[in-house]
């Protein structure tokens, strides 16, 4: 297709102003096609800086978010790259087929802030190291394709114990099990400690998977009020007196969704109440390995009443589907083993062997170091772009909790974000006590890079700075 571009009024990169009318498409897609055409014809040279989004929006008579959405789509197609603090730059002619395939695998669309995944390693040396571990494991493939005894081999348990020791946990082998993911472990534990109709306690805002499991097993969830230090121990005691709960579920480090970490002092108060009323603690330590210096685990403080579930999804990768579980006693481990075997048969031997290999050769520590460093970098980007008011975050986590400004409802905000191709999760998914607050969870991990995240957060920040009525014209 031929078209006429508005003349470039100068050699400066920011002077580029395309004519979108001939393309006959929505403005954001027309902008992408204009970029692609000018790259093809040489009008936009590789390395050239495109105009800032607000400047181009003003020139074209468009709203900011339309231009931002066009830039995001252009980046997804590999036409441009965004550099934090510098701007958006032309990448040049189309990549070779192999490069295009790699880009499509890593950038499948606009940034999805819904799935709480750790940042995905992109360092070639680290990726090669991870691949080498997989290749080493494959040498024993015939054995790994057979049924194995439940709970993990002795070698797998030794590696698991070494991993848990980093959090100060002693892992007696007769209490330690390997399970196919934290979710399966939580389902089995809840099925052992409670029966249909019983009550379990959880945070007022809690992991949606816990709510789903409780509903599936016919359990009632009593949400407990929280503050910056964790759940209220006095409120927990009051619920114990009134409802006699069978268990207390906690996600105590970088909590999903609020990002809060329960302090040691509050942990000790909670343990005192749990012991007094004989309530089992179910510790979902999903994010426990992400901070460099977390508080001691509940299992370390009260091993005789705590079930610890330490999944690898949030510190190494969700696709591993492996969790290390510690039971309160060897006696409690027996029915847990039976329940897990009945429901899951076994953890994947291939997955277990890979995790063991990575722990033994230091690859797991290297991946964890990457996740920590990249999470800090992404939180710094979010802190620089989003308004401070209303954001609850931890510098070491890879998600944040956004309380919306006055006038916004969570459904309206989520709808506006979806219109820009951005996913968020509203508070409804997490609420176990009272009406859902006007808030959303935003996740900063996954396959998206820093530049893509920054560009998408700019869209969110721009919308938050306007009333919902005005923002609807900018998405």
């Amino acid at each position: 297709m031929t078209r006429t571009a508005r003349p470039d009024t100068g050699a400066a990169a920011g002077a580029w102003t395309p004519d979108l009318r001939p393309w006959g498409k929505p403005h954001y897609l027309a902008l992408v096609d204009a970029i692609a055409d000018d790259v093809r014809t040489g009008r936009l040279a590789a390395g050239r800086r495109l105009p800032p989004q607000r400047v181009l929006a003003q020139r074209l008579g468009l709203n900011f978010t339309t231009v931002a959405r066009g830039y995001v789509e252009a980046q997804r197609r590999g036409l441009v790259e965004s550099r934090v603090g510098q701007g958006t730059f032309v990448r040049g002619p189309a990549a070779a087929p192999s490069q295009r395939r790699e880009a499509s695998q890593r950038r499948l669309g606009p940034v999805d802030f819904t799935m709480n995944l750790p940042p995905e390693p992109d360092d070639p040396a680290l990726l090669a190291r991870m691949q080498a571990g997989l290749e080493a494991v494959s040498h024993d493939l015939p054995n790994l394709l057979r049924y194995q005894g439940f709970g993990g081999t002795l070698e797998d348990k030794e590696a698991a114990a070494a991993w848990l020791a980093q959090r100060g946990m002693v892992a007696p082998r007769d209490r330690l099990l390997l399970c196919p993911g934290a979710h399966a472990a939580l389902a089995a534990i809840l099925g052992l400690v409670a029966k249909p109709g019983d009550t379990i306690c959880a945070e007022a805002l809690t992991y949606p998977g816990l709510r789903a499991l409780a509903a599936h097993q016919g359990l009632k969830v009593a949400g407990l009020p929280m503050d910056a230090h964790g759940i209220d121990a006095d409120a927990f005691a009051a619920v114990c007196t009134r409802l006699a709960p069978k268990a207390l579920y906690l996600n105590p480090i970088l909590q999903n969704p609020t990002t809060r970490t329960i302090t040691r002092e509050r942990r000790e108060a909670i343990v005192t109440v749990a012991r007094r009323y004989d309530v089992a603690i179910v510790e979902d330590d999903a994010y426990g390995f992400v901070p460099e210096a977390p508080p001691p685990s509940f299992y370390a403080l009260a091993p005789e009443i705590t079930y610890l579930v330490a999944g690898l999804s949030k510190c190494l990768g969700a696709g591993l589907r492996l969790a290390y579980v510690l039971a309160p006693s060897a006696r409690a481990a027996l029915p847990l083993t039976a329940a897990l075997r009945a429901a899951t048969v076994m953890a994947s031997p291939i997955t277990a062997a890979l995790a063991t290999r990575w722990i033994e050769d230091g690859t797991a520590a290297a991946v964890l170091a990457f996740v920590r460093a990249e999470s800090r970098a992404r939180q710094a980007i979010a802190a620089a772009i989003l308004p401070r008011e209303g954001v609850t975050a931890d510098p070491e986590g890879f998600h944040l909790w956004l309380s919306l400004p006055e006038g916004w409802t969570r459904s309206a905000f989520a709808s506006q974000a979806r219109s820009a191709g951005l996913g968020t999760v509203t508070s409804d998914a997490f609420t176990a006590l009272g009406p859902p607050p006007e808030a959303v969870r935003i996740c900063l991990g996954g396959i998206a890079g820093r530049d893509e995240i920054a560009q998408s957060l700019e869209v969110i920040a721009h919308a938050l700075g306007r009333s919902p009525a005005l923002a609807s014209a900018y998405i």
Side-chain angles (χ1 to χ4, degrees):
M1 175 179 178
T2 60
R3 64 181 177 85
T4 303
R6 298 180 185 178
D8 215 338
T9 58
W16 179 77
T17 307
D19 185 356
L20 305 184
R21 292 171 297 181
W23 295 100
K25 293 182 177 181
H27 288 139
Y28 83 97
L29 290 176
L31 177 58
V32 178
D33 286 346
I35 293 172
D37 192 61
D38 280 354
V39 169
R40 180 182 59 81
T41 60
R43 180 176 170 81
L44 285 176
R48 181 169 177 176
R49 182 177 182 270
L50 293 181
Q53 297 166 28
R54 287 182 175 82
V55 171
L56 187 58
Q58 185 176 13
R59 288 183 194 163
L60 297 177
L62 301 174
N63 59 64
F64 164 83
T65 311
T66 296
V67 174
R69 189 177 183 187
Y71 276 27
V72 168
E73 177 62 19
Q75 183 162 308
R76 185 190 73 82
R77 297 188 191 181
L79 297 169
V80 301
E81 60 180 346
S82 176
R83 304 172 191 168
V84 178
Q86 299 180 46
T88 302
F89 295 81
V90 176
R91 295 188 65 182
S98 61
Q99 293 174 307
R100 287 200 299 269
R101 283 196 298 271
E102 181 180 353
S104 68
Q105 289 169 359
R106 293 190 60 82
R107 296 182 177 89
L108 303 179
V111 175
D112 183 1
F113 289 132
T114 60
M115 295 302 293
N116 208 21
L117 303 172
E120 186 173 300
D122 57 2
D123 175 65
L126 178 56
L127 290 171
R129 187 172 178 178
M130 296 167 71
Q131 181 68 34
L134 185 60
E135 291 173 357
V137 166
S138 70
H139 294 160
D140 193 30
L141 192 58
N143 179 53
L144 297 177
L145 289 176
R146 303 183 186 116
Y147 284 113
Q148 310 285 328
F150 188 85
T153 66
L154 179 59
E155 184 181 10
D156 292 334
K157 287 192 174 186
E158 291 298 324
W163 183 254
L164 294 173
Q166 297 178 72
R167 292 270 287 111
M169 288 177 274
V170 176
R173 306 309 182 265
D174 56 357
R175 301 188 191 184
L176 176 61
L177 299 172
L178 274 69
C179 304
H183 206 71
L186 292 173
I189 292 167
L190 292 177
L192 289 177
V193 300
K195 62 181 184 298
D198 284 343
T199 296
I200 61 172
C201 291
E203 305 101 330
L205 293 166
T206 191
Y207 169 50
L210 181 277
R211 296 181 62 206
L213 287 172
H216 180 71
Q217 297 185 10
L219 306 178
K220 302 172 185 176
V221 178
L224 300 174
M226 311 161 63
D227 59 23
H229 304 289
I231 65 166
D232 186 318
D234 291 336
F236 176 36
V239 170
C240 289
T241 300
R242 189 173 72 255
L243 300 177
K246 301 299 183 181
L248 168 64
Y249 167 87
L250 294 171
N251 179 205
I253 293 178
L254 301 177
Q255 196 251 4
N256 180 12
T258 67
T259 79
R260 292 167 176 159
T261 292
I262 302 178
T263 62
R264 176 168 187 145
E265 181 179 7
R266 185 64 60 83
R267 289 167 188 252
E268 291 172 346
I270 292 168
V271 165
T272 297
V273 174
R275 282 174 170 154
R276 183 192 313 156
Y277 292 97
D278 193 24
V279 176
I281 295 175
V282 181
E283 181 177 17
D284 185 355
D285 200 44
Y287 307 91
F289 285 84
V290 178
E292 288 203 61
S297 68
F298 277 91
Y299 189 88
L301 295 174
E304 80 284 0
I305 59 170
T306 302
Y307 288 87
L308 173 92
V309 180
L312 299 183
S313 293
K314 307 303 183 184
C315 52
L316 297 183
L320 280 174
R321 305 310 307 143
L322 188 69
Y324 300 141
V325 177
L326 281 170
S329 65
R331 182 175 180 179
L334 294 176
L336 180 58
T337 299
L340 281 162
R341 183 189 290 116
T344 67
V345 181
M346 63 181 179
S348 165
I350 296 175
T351 295
L354 180 59
T356 295
R357 174 79 182 196
W358 282 355
I359 291 170
E360 290 176 343
D361 70 10
T363 301
V367 174
L368 182 56
F370 168 85
V371 170
R372 286 171 173 166
E374 186 64 20
S375 296
R376 292 191 196 100
R378 296 182 183 205
Q379 286 290 356
I381 291 170
I385 294 174
L386 296 177
R388 292 186 180 183
E389 185 176 358
V391 174
T392 303
D394 188 293
E396 295 186 289
F398 45 81
H399 69 281
L400 59 87
W401 186 240
L402 177 61
S403 297
L404 299 171
E406 185 177 356
W408 278 100
T409 65
R410 59 197 184 277
S411 58
F413 181 83
S415 176
Q416 299 290 2
R418 280 195 302 273
S419 297
L422 306 176
T424 61
V425 183
T426 65
S427 59
D428 304 70
F430 310 98
T431 303
L433 175 67
E438 302 301 343
V440 298
R441 187 192 69 183
I442 295 176
C443 304
L444 306 176
I447 64 174
R450 297 182 194 179
D451 297 332
E452 295 165 288
I453 286 173
Q455 200 166 53
S456 297
L457 289 176
E458 289 279 7
V459 175
I460 287 178
H462 189 80
L464 288 173
R466 297 175 178 272
S467 69
L470 284 174
S472 64
Y474 281 80
I475 297 292

